Amino acid sequence: MNINEKLSSLKYNKDEQSHLNVDNDICMRCKDKCCTYICPAEVYQWNSEKCIMNIRYENCLECGACKIVCPKKNINWVYPKAGCGVKFKNG
């Protein structure tokens, strides 16, 4: 099973508010935008026309890789509120 097939098997309970936040001014000054390629669920996408980071938080796998890799320490990452976020199933 490839990564896309595995990701499509996950269930999400979407919260109304994002548990991921960034300061777009800091993102603008970031040369590499590591979060856009480290995230296995492609949560972060840089919009160069609007100079903003689009965050599809509802797809977050809650692995924390984005927060670890951000050289600017610009990702405010918290777990989604209880009952929201990704739901993994066994087997």
Side-chain angles (χ1 to χ4, degrees):
M1 183 180 289
N2 70 37
I3 188 72
N4 289 330
E5 291 169 331
K6 288 180 182 180
L7 290 173
S8 69
S9 71
L10 298 174
K11 303 283 185 212
Y12 299 91
N13 185 11
K14 182 182 173 191
D15 193 354
E16 296 302 315
Q17 285 191 306
S18 177
H19 64 287
L20 306 168
N21 294 291
V22 298
D23 180 333
N24 282 305
D25 291 333
I26 294 173
C27 288
M28 261 185 6
R29 294 189 302 269
C30 180
K31 176 183 167 193
D32 297 323
K33 298 184 182 31
C34 301
C35 61
T36 61
Y37 58 84
I38 196 67
C39 177
E42 299 177 347
V43 168
Y44 300 91
Q45 294 180 336
W46 179 248
N47 183 325
S48 56
E49 290 178 11
K50 295 182 181 179
C51 293
I52 61 169
M53 185 65 72
N54 291 324
I55 302 173
R56 299 182 306 172
Y57 69 93
E58 62 275 6
N59 292 340
C60 180
L61 300 175
E62 301 165 26
C63 67
C66 58
K67 185 175 180 178
I68 294 167
V69 76
C70 180
K72 307 284 187 187
K73 306 295 180 213
N74 186 36
I75 298 175
N76 180 10
W77 188 101
V78 295
Y79 282 104
K81 70 181 182 187
C84 293
V86 67
K87 295 187 185 291
F88 297 98
K89 51 185 180 174
N90 294 332

